[in-house]
């Protein structure tokens, strides 16, 4: 199967391709089944899951989650195609179970947004105890003039105004402060960027239940969460939780992959309400279960200053378009196109690189974790 055929241009096609994988899984796990969870905002949109239990002993579970940030689910769907079509025969159905999740955020995927129907970033929604949670993002409020500048203006005015706002923000907070304000997640401004909500979203509660059962029932869980956007252009970064105790240098050697970081301010960026962090905290409650939970992040535009400013503006303007509306047809279309390029490039070269790095990551991780 040509790599381009792993990818899809619409949510409906990606879902159809994923559902077609059930028959392939059932050839090796005859009892495998599909579960579909309707989206609260649109029952026609679903989160789909393929489950298959080991035929003899619940020793290993391979858990793959995709589409937490809706638009990033297109690469996630391709990853699931590659995994099933190229790696299924290397797994042992006697001892290994599968839990494959397509489109955690189907509304965002269908509408090519990162957030869900409530403007919530689901990767800031995995809070262990909401009653005790305290938002540590102290920078977002003072940088709202940059991150939430209001109604879109004319194309010429916007270009100049954006750079003036960036310059002001750099004086106030520096580049690290801007990055921290944006990516840490915030819980005050419902129409803002990286809004984490005020309680667990329904799909997050269902996933948390799945994770509890997985860690309770299996001796080993390997969890891969698929994302796009950040990191070097056309490269996959393996992003481990700061709670993961593995030595990064040693892991690079074991996996045969050089681009591995921890999600902390020094190596990547800190996150509140992150799914992988949540899994690692759950893992601490199940010390008898061996857990490796990580994020595979496929970079798009790169990490140069120019690329980061381009991505920042795409994120800000896409949110403004949704929150306040547009009016300039050409500008509105340019914003949508720029946002898509930031998270799901049309380039065949990028897609080829996604597939190549996915193979390297899967071979290294599944081999090191003794699943293949």
């Amino acid at each position: 199967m040509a790599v381009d055929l792993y990818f899809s241009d619409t949510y409906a096609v990606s879902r159809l391709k994923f559902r077609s994988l059930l028959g392939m899984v059932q050839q090796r796990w005859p009892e495998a089944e599909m579960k579909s969870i309707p989206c609260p905002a649109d029952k026609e949109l679903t989160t789909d899951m393929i489950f298959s239990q080991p035929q003899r002993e619940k020793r290993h579970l391979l858990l793959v989650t995709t589409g937490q940030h809706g638009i990033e689910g297109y690469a996630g769907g391709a990853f699931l195609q590659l995994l099933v079509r190229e790696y299924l025969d290397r797994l042992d159905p006697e001892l290994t179970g599968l839990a494959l999740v397509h489109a955690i955020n189907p509304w965002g995927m269908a509408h090519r947004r990162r957030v869900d129907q409530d403007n919530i970033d689901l990767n800031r929604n995995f809070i262990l105890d909401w009653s005790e949670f305290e938002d540590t993002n102290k920078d977002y409020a003072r940088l709202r003039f940059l991150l939430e500048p209001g109604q879109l203006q004319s194309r010429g005015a916007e270009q100049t105004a954006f750079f003036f706002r960036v310059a002001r923000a750099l004086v106030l907070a520096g580049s690290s402060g801007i990055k921290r304000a944006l990516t840490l997640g915030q819980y005050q401004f419902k129409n803002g960027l990286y809004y984490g909500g005020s309680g667990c979203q329904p799909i997050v509660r269902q996933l948390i239940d799945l994770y509890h059962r997985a860690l309770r029932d299996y001796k080993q869980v390997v969890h891969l969460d698929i994302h796009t956007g950040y990191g070097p252009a056309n490269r996959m970064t393996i992003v481990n939780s700061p709670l993961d105790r593995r030595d990064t240098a040693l892991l690079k050697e074991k996996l045969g992959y050089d681009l591995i970081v921890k999600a902390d301010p020094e190596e990547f960026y800190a996150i509140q309400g992150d799914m992988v962090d949540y899994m690692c905290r759950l893992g601490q409650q199940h010390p008898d279960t061996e857990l490796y939970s990580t994020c595979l992040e496929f970079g798009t535009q790169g990490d140069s200053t120019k690329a980061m400013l381009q991505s920042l503006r795409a994120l800000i303007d896409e949110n403004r378009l949704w929150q306040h509306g547009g009016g300039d047809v050409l500008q509105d279309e340019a914003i949508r196109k720029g946002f898509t390029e930031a998270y799901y490039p049309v380039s065949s070269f990028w897609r080829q690189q996604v597939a190549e790095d996915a193979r390297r990551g899967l071979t290294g991780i599944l081999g090191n974790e003794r699943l293949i």
Side-chain angles (χ1 to χ4, degrees):
M1 187 176 187
V3 166
D4 280 346
L5 295 180
Y6 289 162
F7 293 83
S8 306
D9 291 328
T10 68
Y11 158 77
V13 171
S14 184
R15 179 175 67 175
L16 184 64
K17 287 181 180 179
F18 176 72
R19 290 179 172 180
S20 73
L21 296 178
L22 178 61
M24 298 182 65
V25 175
Q26 287 174 333
Q27 291 177 16
R28 304 204 69 215
W29 287 265
E31 303 300 318
E33 59 182 6
M34 176 82 67
K35 178 181 180 181
S36 295
I37 304 171
C39 172
D42 186 343
K43 303 301 183 185
E44 296 300 313
L45 306 176
T46 57
T47 297
D48 295 292
M49 307 180 183
I50 293 176
F51 294 107
S52 54
Q53 294 188 9
Q55 296 168 16
R56 181 161 59 87
E57 177 190 346
K58 289 185 176 180
R59 186 175 299 178
H60 315 290
L61 177 69
L62 176 57
L63 167 62
V64 181
T65 50
T66 68
Q68 193 180 18
H69 290 146
I71 189 171
E72 299 175 27
Y74 291 100
F79 184 92
L80 291 167
Q81 292 290 321
L82 185 149
L83 169 66
V84 172
R85 295 178 182 278
E86 299 185 18
Y87 284 83
L88 206 66
D89 290 344
R90 302 174 67 179
L91 300 172
D92 181 0
E94 295 289 316
L95 302 175
T96 304
L98 293 176
L100 309 179
V101 184
H102 179 268
I104 291 174
N105 175 10
W107 185 91
M109 187 171 175
H111 292 85
R112 296 201 168 212
R113 300 208 72 202
R114 293 179 77 252
V115 295
D116 73 0
Q117 63 278 358
D118 299 315
N119 199 53
I120 291 176
D121 182 326
L122 295 180
N123 206 36
R124 304 299 182 276
N125 193 241
F126 281 81
I127 301 297
L128 205 60
D129 186 344
W130 283 93
S131 66
E132 297 183 358
F133 174 69
E134 181 180 353
D135 186 0
T136 62
N137 193 337
K138 307 303 181 185
D139 296 294
Y140 190 94
R142 65 178 180 146
L143 296 180
R144 286 184 76 199
F145 67 87
L146 168 66
L147 305 176
E148 297 179 50
Q151 184 75 39
L152 286 157
Q153 307 301 315
S154 66
R155 276 170 282 170
E158 280 298 339
Q159 182 76 11
T160 302
F162 172 72
F163 287 107
F164 272 113
R165 288 192 292 266
V166 169
R168 180 184 169 196
L170 284 170
V171 171
L172 283 174
S175 59
S176 61
I178 296 172
K179 185 176 182 180
R180 183 172 59 248
L182 185 66
T183 57
L184 184 61
Q186 56 86 17
Y187 299 80
Q188 298 182 61
F189 307 103
K190 294 192 295 184
N191 295 329
L193 301 174
Y194 289 83
Y195 174 60
S198 57
C200 283
Q201 289 293 82
I203 189 61
V204 169
R205 288 197 295 269
Q206 297 215 35
L207 289 171
I208 287 173
D209 180 62
L210 168 63
Y211 301 159
H212 273 286
R213 287 186 281 112
L215 291 166
R216 181 195 65 205
D217 294 346
Y218 284 84
K219 296 179 180 179
Q220 181 190 25
V221 175
V222 176
H223 171 220
L224 309 177
D225 189 36
I226 312 305
H227 288 264
T228 66
Y230 287 94
N234 308 314
R235 287 293 313 278
M236 178 187 75
T237 305
I238 298 176
V239 186
N240 290 332
S241 169
L243 301 172
D244 190 288
R245 296 182 179 180
R246 291 168 177 80
D247 179 78
T248 299
L250 182 59
L251 194 60
K252 289 178 180 180
E253 182 180 336
K254 287 184 174 181
L255 301 188
Y257 196 78
D258 64 316
L259 200 49
I260 304 177
V261 301
K262 286 188 183 292
D264 58 33
E266 287 74 30
E267 296 187 30
F268 196 64
Y269 55 78
I271 307 172
Q272 300 177 115
D274 175 75
M275 179 201 286
V276 171
D277 286 353
Y278 190 96
M279 275 290 282
C280 289
R281 291 190 176 94
L282 284 187
Q284 294 170 354
Q285 300 174 19
H286 297 268
D288 294 333
T289 299
E290 185 180 346
L291 171 68
Y292 181 44
S293 179
T294 192
C295 163
L296 305 185
E297 180 95 29
F298 294 91
T300 55
Q301 295 178 324
D303 49 10
S304 68
T305 299
K306 179 180 179 181
M308 292 175 72
L309 286 173
Q310 191 175 5
S311 296
L312 175 64
R313 186 175 178 187
L315 194 67
I316 292 169
D317 285 351
E318 187 270 349
N319 186 57
R320 296 169 76 188
L321 190 60
W322 272 90
Q323 301 299 338
H324 304 288
D328 183 323
V329 176
L330 292 178
Q331 179 174 247
D332 296 352
E333 182 58 30
I335 289 171
R336 295 188 187 98
K337 182 178 179 180
F339 185 77
T340 296
E341 279 295 304
Y343 297 99
Y344 187 47
V346 298
S347 163
S348 290
F349 176 75
W350 181 78
R351 297 181 180 190
Q352 291 284 343
Q353 291 302 116
V354 167
E356 289 182 18
D357 279 355
R359 292 184 186 107
R360 292 177 66 191
L362 282 168
T363 299
I365 292 170
L366 299 184
N368 188 55
E369 299 297 324
R370 308 177 308 282
L371 269 66
I372 59 175

